[in-house]
Amino acid sequence: MPTPTKGPRLGGSPAHERLILANLATALFEHRRITTTETKAKRLRPLAERLITFAKRGDLHSRRRVLTVVKDKGVVHALFTEIAPAVAERQGGYTRITKIGPRKGDNAPMAVIELVLEPLSPKQAVVKEATKATEKAAPKKAAKPVEDKPVEDAPVEDAPVEDAPVEDAPADKA
């Protein structure tokens, strides 16, 4: 069971908070991007992602569960037919919150919450990370052998030749 949020609710009462979040979710699915306060965006994210997960299932029960929150049937249809197939290969993280400047009237911190509809290609992400790591490590590795070679060569040349037949000595004693 999810833990209740601490502090005051968004609308004052639990019913009003549910209505606010339902309206925000409806607007998000309709417009794909909305501007709201940071607090509302952070509270909307889990609800929107859960509704998208229901839409990915695509069965009748999931549609009815989404309809309990989002009352607009056109938006629910768009969620099931357009948004869910676009994020089908994504395992989570369907929304993105970007903080923007404060609101002019009351200086409230504002944010843009949007759906992440770009196709996910995990192979390209891994290749990009590997390329960046190689670029960062390549100059360091190239510099270390250049510095280490003269240091390694010097002790080998200075070592006496008499130390080499140490392995033969124990065989003669036995």
Side-chain angles (χ1 to χ4, degrees), residues 110-130:
M110 299 297 286
V112 173
I113 182 168
E114 59 187 343
L115 297 175
V116 181
L117 299 175
E118 294 89 24
L120 176 72
S121 58
K123 292 181 182 177
Q124 290 180 355
V126 171
V127 169
K128 287 181 182 178
E129 290 177 10

Side-chain angles (χ1 to χ4, degrees), residues 16 19-20 25 37 61-62 80 91 93 108 134 150-151 154 156 162-163:
H16 192 195
L19 288 172
I20 289 173
T37 62
H61 182 65
S62 298
F80 274 76
Q91 295 296 316
T134 306
V151 176
V156 173
E162 299 172 3
D163 291 340

Side-chain angles (χ1 to χ4, degrees), residues 2 28 43 50 58 64 68 81 112 116 119 133 136 139 151 161-162 169:
L28 177 65
R43 298 290 292 277
R50 190 169 73 240
R64 286 180 175 163
T68 61
T81 59
V112 173
V116 181
K136 288 181 180 178
V151 176
V161 180
E162 299 172 3

Side-chain angles (χ1 to χ4, degrees), residues 33-36 41 96-100 110-114:
R33 165 190 293 217
I34 57 172
T35 302
T36 183
R96 176 186 302 132
I97 296 176
T98 307
K99 295 180 181 179
I100 56 176
M110 299 297 286
V112 173
I113 182 168
E114 59 187 343

Side-chain angles (χ1 to χ4, degrees), residues 67-89:
L67 277 167
T68 61
V69 178
V70 179
K71 301 297 183 188
D72 189 356
K73 290 182 181 179
V75 174
V76 173
H77 177 73
L79 175 63
F80 274 76
T81 59
E82 298 170 11
I83 297 172
V87 296
E89 68 275 356

Side-chain angles (χ1 to χ4, degrees), residues 10-32:
L10 292 178
S13 67
H16 192 195
E17 181 178 24
R18 279 194 299 271
L19 288 172
I20 289 173
L21 292 176
N23 289 335
L24 285 171
T26 303
L28 177 65
F29 296 140
E30 184 178 357
H31 301 291
R32 311 292 198 267

